[in-house]
């Protein structure tokens, strides 16, 4: 059978395309590396129930020959065993393995485990080359921003209707008022009541906004979250009679067994699962693509039993998340001369890998609240995301700031994150603090439990040619394929930007009466070189010139007739907020283009 489309990956980059094409009676095959995990029903429990016990909780030991061999690591049942499929990164000349960069391997991808923060980018995020063309910035002595920044091949207005479509079909709650983005249709569901601890974030955001711009202060708004709070007609999901009962804090880093978190599985794929023209194959690993004369004519994949299969389609969409998509394209180039000369025609594949410049501040409130009665975030602000702030502070790009309401909501999450900033360092603070025992554990809980509040930011990272994804020359996965090799560093302006925005986060807490314990950027973390937060972007950026990009404006690979890449790897800049919403919106946009050519 020749499908109209094969979609590799079922998360934010793949599911909107599968949904759009299948709804228009196109034949679609979705190949997903991980399992299909359903929400619980009246007769069956969801496998995501297990996440409450084992997510990031089962210790394994790194066994391969790398610099950090022998160290423990932690992963859930929807992330790979690091000994089977590591990501390797270069840490000052030493190769180390990491679990960072994997979102989730299951139908719905990372949208099952993320915190659900779903911010639109600002119009400026699409035009950072134009915004900076006449500026000489601090901490950019070589003019890297001018040289390397790229405008997107379209502006905010092109993506706006697809933002609206995503907000409606996926199901987001939040408020549009006070966001520094143009708005036509407000499809947000009504947010739930904020947790009492978030009042400190709200007060601090208001106070800082008044200080920075007394005449027209940026005011907080309810953080857009991919969690339904009312019955959701497009997906058929219904909330409990008491919607407030949804506030359980099991959102960030956990799968939602109730199906209220708007993963692409429950919101897009499950409603069309029974269509005869749609086939979803979980537990199937795509090993490589094959092409002839610029047409991808074979997709090779392993079924759950390890048997090799081939599939053919008029259009092939790669959406494995950026690191793994680049890796798949590079492996395909190793095995096919036609594929290699086309995908590597300008040697940019894997270059300009991006994450986010991010960080924040944390502290202790005077009293204590029940933080388990929360979602992930209650309040956000664009006070550091307007032109005046950027010009006053000599920054190339802005940031959205929001509070992490559910951080350390339960004792297990409090202990596993002591001193941790990424997946590689979970539990290590507790494990190596030999003084944390007996009465000191009681004191630690008394001082921290229900009292910790943090404020976070996400900002554009300066694109750098040398930030790249390659294939490791020696380390192979369990299928004997080269694993991804991450070479990444922070630009001096990234560090300057992180310091500036972290100071805003510190001031928000301080102005609200919070005892601030720390503030800073992710580059300062123990594992700061590889710090990704699973915001894996770039590596196959799109653009209008084929000598300067891997993909054309519709995310089609240059010199291929039918190959599209639609996860975060298409981004030439990383945006001023969490990327999932923009990946989904762009995927809906590309889906309309694919429909026009089928």
């Amino acid at each position: 059978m020749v499908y109209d489309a094969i979609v590799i990956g079922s998360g934010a980059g793949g599911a909107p395309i599968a949904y759009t094409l299948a709804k228009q009676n196109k034949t679609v095959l979705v190949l997903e590396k991980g399992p299909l995990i359903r929400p619980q029903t009246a007769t069956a429990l969801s496998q995501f129930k297990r996440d409450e016990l084992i997510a990031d909780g089962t210790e394994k030991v790194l066994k391969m020959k790398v610099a950090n061999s022998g160290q423990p690591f932690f992963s859930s049942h929807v992330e790979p065993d690091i000994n089977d499929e590591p990501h390797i990164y270069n840490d000052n000349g030493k190769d180390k393995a990491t679990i960072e960069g994997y979102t989730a391997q299951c139908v719905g991808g990372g949208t099952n485990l993320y915190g659900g923060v779903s911010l639109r980018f600002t119009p400026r995020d699409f035009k950072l080359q134009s915004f900076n063309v006449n500026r000489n910035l601090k901490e950019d002595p070589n003019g890297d921003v001018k040289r390397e920044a790229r405008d997107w091949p379209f502006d905010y207005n092109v993506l706006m209707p697809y933002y609206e479509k995503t907000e409606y079909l996926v199901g987001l709650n939040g408020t549009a008022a006070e966001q520094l983005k143009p708005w036509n249709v407000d499809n947000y569901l009504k947010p739930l009541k904020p947790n009492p601890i978030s009042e400190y974030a709200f007060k601090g955001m208001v106070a800082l906004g008044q200080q920075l711009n007394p005449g027209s202060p940026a005011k907080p708004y309810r953080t857009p979250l991919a969690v339904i709070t009312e019955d959701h007609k497009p997906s058929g999901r219904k909330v409990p009679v008491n919607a407030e009962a949804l506030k359980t804090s099991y959102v960030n880093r956990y799968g939602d067994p109730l199906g209220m978190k708007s993963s692409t599985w429950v919101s897009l794929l499950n409603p069309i699962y029974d269509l005869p023209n749609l086939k979803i194959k979980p537990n199937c690993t795509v090993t490589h693509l094959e092409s002839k004369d610029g047409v991808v004519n074979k997709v090779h994949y392993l079924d759950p039993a390890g048997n090799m299969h081939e599939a053919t389609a008029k259009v092939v969409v790669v959406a494995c998340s950026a690191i793994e998509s680049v890796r798949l394209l590079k492996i395909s180039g190793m095995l096919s001369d036609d594929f290699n000369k086309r995908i590597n025609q300008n040697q940019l594949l894997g270059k300009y890998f991006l994450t986010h410049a991010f960080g924040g501040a944390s502290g202790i409130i005077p009293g204590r609240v029940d933080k388990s009665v929360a979602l992930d975030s209650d309040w956000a602000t664009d006070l550091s995301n307007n032109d005046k702030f950027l010009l006053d502070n000599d920054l190339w790009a802005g940031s959205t700031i929001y509070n992490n309401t559910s951080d350390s909501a339960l004792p297990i999450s409090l202990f596993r994150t002591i001193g941790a900033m990424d997946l590689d360092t979970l539990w290590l603070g507790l494990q190596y603090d030999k003084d944390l025992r007996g009465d000191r554990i009681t004191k630690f809980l008394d001082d921290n439990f229900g009292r910790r509040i943090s404020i976070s930011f996400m900002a554009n990272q300066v694109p750098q040619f040398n930030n790249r994804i390659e294939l490791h020359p020696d380390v192979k996965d369990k299928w004997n394929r080269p694993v991804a090799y991450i070479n990444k560093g922070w630009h001096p302006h990234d560090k300057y930007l992180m310091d500036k925005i972290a100071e805003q986060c510190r001031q928000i807490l301080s102005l609200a009466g919070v005892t601030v314990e720390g503030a800073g950027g992710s580059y300062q973390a123990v594992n700061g070189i590889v710090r990704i937060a699973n915001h894996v972007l770039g590596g196959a950026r799109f653009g209008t010139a084929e000598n300067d990009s891997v993909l054309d404006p519709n995310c089609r690979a240059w010199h291929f007739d039918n190959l599209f890449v639609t996860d975060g790897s298409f981004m030439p800049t990383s945006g001023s907020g969490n990327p999932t919403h923009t990946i989904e919106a762009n995927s809906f946009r590309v889906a309309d283009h694919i429909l026009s050519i089928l």
Side-chain angles (χ1 to χ4, degrees):
M1 176 179 180
V2 178
Y3 293 92
D4 287 313
I6 295 174
V7 181
I8 306 167
S10 58
I17 291 178
Y19 175 91
T20 302
L21 300 185
K23 292 276 283 187
Q24 294 298 315
N25 297 315
K26 304 300 181 183
T27 54
V28 180
L29 171 63
V30 178
L31 295 171
E32 170 56 51
K33 191 175 183 181
L36 169 56
I37 302 177
R38 301 174 185 271
Q40 69 185 43
T41 64
T43 58
L45 294 178
S46 169
Q47 287 177 291
F48 277 135
K49 284 282 190 179
R50 300 165 54 197
D51 272 16
E52 298 177 15
L53 298 176
I54 74 164
D56 309 318
T58 303
E59 180 176 306
K60 301 173 184 177
V61 177
L62 187 60
K63 299 177 181 179
M64 64 189 60
K65 293 181 179 180
V66 288
N68 57 341
S69 181
Q71 289 189 1
F73 70 95
F74 305 87
S75 63
S76 76
H77 62 286
V78 292
E79 291 166 327
D81 186 318
I82 198 170
N83 292 299
D84 291 338
E85 295 179 87
H87 285 155
I88 306 296
Y89 70 101
N90 187 307
D91 183 3
N92 295 317
K94 295 181 179 180
D95 286 353
K96 295 181 178 180
T98 177
I99 194 68
E100 283 280 304
Y102 280 109
T103 46
Q105 294 181 349
C106 55
V107 178
T111 62
N112 287 289
L113 296 191
Y114 75 143
V117 174
S118 298
L119 297 156
R120 295 186 183 189
F121 290 175
T122 66
R124 188 197 320 100
D125 286 322
F126 298 86
K127 299 293 179 183
L128 285 173
Q129 182 182 40
S130 300
F131 180 71
N132 289 287
V133 67
N134 294 316
R135 303 178 68 200
N136 294 312
L137 296 164
K138 290 181 181 177
E139 301 301 329
D140 185 25
N142 299 318
D144 294 326
V145 169
K146 284 185 179 180
R147 184 177 64 256
E148 303 291 16
R150 295 293 185 274
D151 289 346
W152 289 39
F154 52 77
D155 64 16
Y156 175 91
N157 290 327
V158 170
L159 208 58
M160 182 160 58
Y162 295 103
Y163 276 137
E164 294 166 354
K165 185 174 186 176
T166 302
E167 287 152 2
Y168 175 69
L169 289 176
V170 171
L172 310 184
N173 78 80
T175 54
E178 308 301 340
Q179 293 197 44
L180 293 184
K181 302 108 186 177
W183 224 271
N184 280 334
V185 180
D186 184 353
N187 286 322
Y188 284 146
L189 303 173
K190 183 180 178 180
L192 303 179
K193 295 177 182 178
N195 186 278
I197 200 170
S198 298
E199 184 66 17
Y200 292 91
F202 177 81
K203 289 180 179 178
M205 290 173 180
V206 170
L208 184 57
Q210 290 171 342
Q211 282 190 10
L212 291 175
N213 193 3
S216 180
K219 297 178 182 178
Y221 52 88
R222 294 301 303 276
T223 310
L225 296 174
V227 181
I228 62 168
T229 55
E230 304 172 77
D231 291 351
H232 186 240
K233 184 178 179 180
S235 65
R237 289 175 289 159
K238 296 184 180 296
V239 302
V241 175
N242 177 17
E244 295 291 327
L246 295 173
K247 299 196 299 186
T248 62
S249 283
Y250 288 101
V251 174
N252 196 5
R253 294 299 307 157
Y254 290 95
D256 174 18
L258 301 180
M260 299 298 112
K261 188 198 299 190
S262 295
S263 72
T264 55
W265 161 245
V266 296
S267 62
L268 298 178
L269 297 180
N270 184 54
I272 62 172
Y273 185 72
D274 293 330
L275 289 179
N277 54 307
L278 172 68
K279 183 178 291 186
I280 300 176
K281 289 189 175 183
N283 299 305
C284 289
T285 300
V286 175
T287 60
H288 61 287
L289 312 178
E290 190 176 335
S291 68
K292 182 178 180 181
D293 298 327
V295 175
V296 177
N297 57 355
K298 291 180 182 178
V299 175
H300 299 264
Y301 68 95
L302 296 164
D303 68 16
N307 301 310
M308 184 64 76
H309 297 267
E310 297 176 358
T312 303
K314 298 175 184 176
V315 166
V316 174
V317 178
V318 175
C320 311
S321 89
I323 294 173
E324 288 300 300
S325 286
V326 169
R327 177 187 174 216
L328 175 62
L329 296 175
K330 283 182 170 289
I331 289 174
S332 300
M334 288 174 55
L335 301 175
S336 168
D337 289 340
D338 181 78
F339 197 97
N340 182 59
K341 71 180 181 182
R342 295 175 185 279
I343 201 66
N344 286 310
Q345 45 88 23
N346 57 15
Q347 302 302 310
L348 284 181
L349 178 64
K351 306 300 194 300
Y352 297 105
F353 174 61
L354 296 163
T355 58
H356 268 119
F358 56 98
S362 63
I364 302 292
I365 66 171
R368 193 186 311 279
V369 301
D370 181 1
K371 290 186 65 179
S372 70
V373 185
L375 293 178
D376 188 47
S377 176
D378 284 324
W379 294 104
T381 178
D382 290 334
L383 60 84
S384 61
N385 211 2
N386 58 73
D387 288 357
K388 181 180 183 302
F389 181 85
L390 302 190
L391 296 173
D392 287 348
N393 290 278
D394 213 22
L395 297 175
W396 89 293
S399 170
T400 305
I401 295 174
Y402 57 92
N403 74 307
N404 287 306
T405 311
S406 65
D407 276 5
S408 307
L410 300 173
I412 190 171
S413 61
L414 183 64
F415 279 114
R416 74 183 174 92
T417 56
I418 299 172
M421 285 198 69
D422 56 40
L423 298 178
D424 291 335
T425 56
L426 289 176
W427 295 107
L428 294 187
L430 175 64
Q431 182 174 331
Y432 294 127
D433 188 348
K434 296 179 181 179
D435 291 330
L436 195 58
R437 62 185 187 275
D439 290 343
R440 292 192 179 185
I441 289 182
T442 302
K443 186 178 187 304
F444 175 82
L445 285 170
D446 190 55
D447 290 345
N448 291 274
F449 187 58
R451 300 184 63 194
R452 297 201 66 86
I453 183 172
S454 60
I455 305 290
S456 297
F457 68 85
M458 302 286 167
N460 282 276
Q461 181 184 13
V462 175
Q464 298 182 76
F465 180 82
N466 286 329
N467 280 353
R468 62 196 186 277
I469 304 299
E470 299 175 331
L471 298 179
H472 198 278
D474 301 314
V475 182
K476 304 291 194 296
D477 67 12
K478 64 181 179 181
W479 296 289
N480 201 36
R481 301 183 305 161
V483 303
Y485 191 25
I486 303 167
N487 285 269
K488 174 181 176 289
W490 294 109
H491 188 276
H493 192 81
D494 292 335
K495 298 178 181 180
Y496 172 74
L497 181 152
M498 285 187 262
D499 290 344
K500 283 288 185 181
I501 308 299
E503 173 59 19
Q504 307 307 306
C505 296
R506 187 196 66 78
Q507 289 190 44
I508 287 170
L509 293 181
S510 181
L511 289 167
V514 176
T515 301
V516 181
E517 292 194 326
S522 55
Y523 76 92
Q524 297 167 310
V526 173
N527 210 21
I529 292 177
V530 76
R531 184 71 176 106
I532 291 171
N534 291 334
H535 292 191
V536 288
L537 310 166
R541 71 183 184 191
F542 70 172
T544 56
E546 61 185 80
N547 66 341
D548 191 49
S549 55
V550 178
L551 310 173
D552 75 8
N554 289 311
C555 291
R556 179 184 61 85
W558 295 108
H559 303 291
F560 284 89
D561 292 340
N562 66 336
L563 175 61
F564 294 79
V565 183
T566 56
D567 52 42
S569 55
F570 77 87
M571 292 188 181
T573 50
S574 48
S576 60
N578 309 54
T580 302
H581 189 17
T582 298
I583 295 171
E584 290 171 334
N586 182 67
S587 184
F588 277 119
R589 181 189 69 87
V590 173
D592 280 352
H593 170 73
I594 292 174
L595 273 177
S596 73
I597 63 174
L598 282 176

